[in-house]
Amino acid sequence: MMKALITAAVSFALLAGAVVAANQTLAEDNNVTQKTTPAAMQLPVEGEFPSLSGATEWLNSKPLTAAELRGKVVLVEFWTYSCVNWRRTLPYVRAWAQKYKDRGLVVIGVHSPEFSFEKNVDYVRSEAGKMGVSYPIAIDNDFAVWSAFGNEYWPALYFVDARGRIRHHKFGEGEYDLSESVIQQLLTEAGVKGVAHEVSSVDPNGFEVAADWNDLKSPETYIGYARTENFASPGGLGSDDRREYAIPPLGLNRWALSGDWTAEREFVALGKAGGRIAYRFHARDLNLILGPGAGGSVRFRVFLDGRPPGPAAGVDVNAAGYGTVTEPRMYQLIRQPKPIVDREFEIEFLDPGVAAYDFTFG
């Protein structure tokens, strides 16, 4: 699974997969020091700032180079706009970009698309505007910048000092106070005077609210045949063929289709109105990445244990469960109040043409 749904407790177990030439034992020792005495952090040199020349386009900025950024502290953030894990880090990155932009920090969002529709720069521009991403965006449709960093995760943060050296990195969500302390440390090292040690306070809402990790027992589930798991409809999931499906009784974290669907590598596409997708899950939030197909929009209705969601409705549906797919993106369909228990989700599409890509939870 490339999209890193990982907690702070396990994120450092992934350091061995990074390209940066950090000494892992030293990094772990430094992490302990950072948490206990942040003013005395010892940040190792993990590598040089790789080239950004592989970006195919830039938004919110002219093209930037590692050489011209020398003298600035740079935070490089790898993201893809449909990723819920990245969305939950965004309020912190936005806050840092605003707070330190006049103190010498440059935040660069490298958009490396997970799904084909995310290669459309117009979609990226539109979604970035809605999310308040005003800092420079490098469009990395060919994954050239991703490869230059040796990156493997969304989200990923790389912290570059004023001398053009990577000094820290963070994969996945969490540890926001530590990340901001690293920014403060690097600014101070660059000679910026009076850098305060207070950390930013954010008030996330919607998709940006942190996951309820204690009640999160359902994994991200891709729907296209290339990466899907736990599909329960009789006969299994097809590949590039159109067929009728039915929904059987579902166990936890099993999903199924009913109606006329064509399974493709990244998604399943609905041929006739009335098709459904069901998933038995255990989480506060249920999100589904959807696209409207060629029709422009697709109406749907959501059910929770066979009933309208009511107070468990997500931001993209009303209490009766109705909503509309108007653009390819992540839709929050369920945000349920406690107690969190096993629930059966079902979505019925009232128009044909929808493409369904990926379930995520929070």
Side-chain angles (χ1 to χ4, degrees):
M1 181 173 74
M2 295 186 73
K3 191 177 297 181
L5 183 58
I6 50 178
T7 66
V10 301
S11 63
F12 279 91
L14 298 171
L15 291 177
V19 71
V20 292
N23 180 295
Q24 185 168 355
T25 302
L26 179 57
E28 291 169 353
D29 290 344
N30 284 342
N31 184 44
V32 173
T33 302
Q34 290 160 2
K35 289 182 178 181
T36 55
T37 57
M41 287 189 291
Q42 300 296 312
L43 301 174
V45 175
E46 300 182 345
E48 296 297 313
F49 191 174
S51 173
L52 301 172
S53 63
T56 55
E57 190 171 339
W58 286 78
L59 304 179
N60 302 333
S61 172
K62 68 178 182 64
L64 300 175
T65 67
E68 70 182 282
L69 289 167
R70 200 60 79 85
K72 300 284 189 180
V73 173
V74 182
L75 176 62
V76 177
E77 166 205 39
F78 285 90
W79 65 297
T80 185
Y81 80 74
S82 70
C83 174
V84 69
N85 311 103
W86 169 75
R87 288 292 298 272
R88 295 191 293 240
T89 69
L90 178 57
Y92 297 90
V93 177
R94 270 198 318 254
W96 302 334
Q98 179 64 31
K99 182 177 178 179
Y100 299 106
K101 67 179 182 179
D102 296 328
R103 309 306 304 276
L105 176 69
V106 176
V107 176
I108 298 174
V110 179
H111 187 271
S112 304
E114 180 170 24
F115 297 106
S116 296
F117 66 81
E118 293 175 298
K119 294 182 179 181
N120 186 316
V121 178
D122 289 336
Y123 292 153
V124 179
R125 182 183 292 108
S126 175
E127 293 301 311
K130 294 173 186 175
M131 299 174 193
V133 181
S134 58
Y135 45 81
I137 298 171
I139 301 297
D140 189 32
N141 282 352
D142 298 329
F143 279 69
V145 182
W146 175 286
S147 297
F149 276 80
N151 188 53
E152 296 183 21
Y153 305 105
W154 300 281
L157 299 175
Y158 294 86
F159 301 76
V160 181
D161 68 15
R163 296 170 62 185
R165 306 173 302 175
I166 296 174
R167 300 286 299 282
H168 186 69
H169 62 275
K170 174 72 181 83
F171 301 143
E173 303 176 49
E175 297 183 339
Y176 302 113
D177 289 358
L178 173 59
S179 291
E180 187 166 4
S181 293
V182 171
I183 292 169
Q184 294 167 351
Q185 171 83 17
L186 296 183
L187 289 171
T188 299
E189 288 182 10
V192 179
K193 304 298 184 183
V195 178
H197 292 295
E198 291 79 9
V199 295
S200 301
S201 176
V202 303
D203 185 21
N205 55 63
F207 288 100
E208 297 179 354
V209 175
D212 180 358
W213 297 110
N214 290 333
D215 280 314
L216 181 52
K217 299 180 182 178
S218 291
E220 178 176 20
T221 302
Y222 294 96
I223 297 179
Y225 68 76
R227 290 191 281 176
T228 196
E229 297 178 316
N230 299 325
F231 183 66
S233 290
L237 187 65
S239 55
D240 300 313
D241 62 334
R242 184 171 177 174
R243 65 172 72 169
E244 288 283 334
Y245 292 90
I247 297 173
L250 296 177
L252 181 63
N253 296 328
R254 304 281 286 176
W255 73 280
L257 300 170
S258 73
D260 179 351
W261 294 88
T262 300
E264 303 195 20
R265 289 188 61 83
E266 285 192 346
F267 57 87
V268 295
L270 180 62
K272 297 178 182 178
R276 295 189 174 210
I277 307 176
Y279 196 118
R280 189 159 185 82
F281 75 104
H282 188 116
R284 182 195 66 201
D285 300 344
L286 180 147
N287 311 302
L288 183 56
I289 298 175
L290 299 166
S297 65
V298 175
R299 297 168 299 152
F300 63 80
R301 191 177 187 188
V302 162
F303 301 90
L304 196 60
D305 295 336
R307 297 183 295 275
V315 298
D316 287 306
V317 302
N318 61 24
Y322 288 101
T324 305
V325 180
T326 56
E327 57 202 351
R329 63 173 176 87
M330 178 174 57
Y331 290 77
Q332 186 189 94
L333 304 177
I334 298 294
R335 170 160 286 169
Q336 59 176 321
K338 289 183 179 294
I340 307 302
V341 296
D342 294 1
R343 309 294 294 271
E344 186 148 329
F345 163 87
E346 199 164 337
I347 182 169
E348 178 184 17
F349 296 99
L350 308 180
D351 303 298
V354 75
Y357 292 80
D358 185 30
F359 281 99
T360 58
F361 302 90

